[in-house]
Amino acid sequence: MTGRLNSAQPYAIGLFRIVVGLLFACHGANSLFGAFGGETPDTGAWPAWYAAVIELVGGSLVLLGLGTRAAAFISSGAMAYAYFKVHQPQALWPIENSGEGAAMYCWAMFLLIFTGSGAFGLDRLFTKRSTAQSNSATDQTPVAA
């Protein structure tokens, strides 16, 4: 049983990354463009506009699995900032201060920093290409004169 679950781990991480990235990008589109009935902040307004850009771009990159670790790092930090500066001063617990979303996104993105994109990500496609190119370059032995 453990062997089967371990062999499926990259696929589970890939699906997790896709769902988290999609939801995060939708949250950014909601905040930035008013999609799905949201209100838009003024362009350049601190911190709402910058958070929305990070959510949209970071969520899209995580969804695609492109630069997953870097995008997740920045997104996790943005959500930590959102929790501690916006939600936590209102009350101690996330359930009391409406900070569950920020806390969950922060920890989900934090997990992706360490797991990477998993299966189905563009990161893996580029890694395979660069590995194949470096292997072909190292297979060539120089001719000594």
Side-chain angles (χ1 to χ4, degrees):
M1 176 85 162
T2 302
R4 278 187 177 176
L5 291 174
N6 287 343
S7 66
Q9 186 175 10
Y11 303 104
I13 291 170
L15 291 173
F16 174 79
R17 173 190 49 79
I18 290 168
V19 169
V20 169
L22 176 65
L23 294 173
F24 202 60
C26 286
H27 195 273
N30 177 284
S31 300
L32 197 59
F33 303 122
F36 315 112
E39 292 186 26
T40 60
D42 293 332
T43 302
W46 177 259
W49 186 82
Y50 293 96
V53 169
I54 289 171
E55 290 165 2
L56 181 62
V57 174
S60 298
L61 289 172
V62 167
L63 169 66
L64 295 172
L66 184 62
T68 303
R69 291 175 192 258
F73 179 77
I74 293 168
S75 299
S76 178
M79 290 298 99
Y81 179 87
Y83 181 77
F84 286 110
K85 288 300 245 183
V86 176
H87 297 284
Q88 203 276 329
Q90 296 174 12
L92 179 63
W93 297 104
I95 195 71
E96 295 174 319
N97 62 31
S98 301
E100 302 99 335
M104 287 297 292
Y105 280 126
C106 177
W107 285 104
M109 292 295 184
F110 190 73
L111 177 65
L112 289 171
I113 295 168
F114 294 96
T115 62
S117 62
F120 317 119
L122 294 178
D123 285 343
R124 291 180 69 116
L125 178 67
F126 293 127
T127 302
K128 287 179 184 178
R129 283 187 184 171
S130 65
T131 304
Q133 288 174 354
S134 66
N135 286 343
S136 66
T138 57
D139 290 343
Q140 300 172 354
T141 55
V143 176

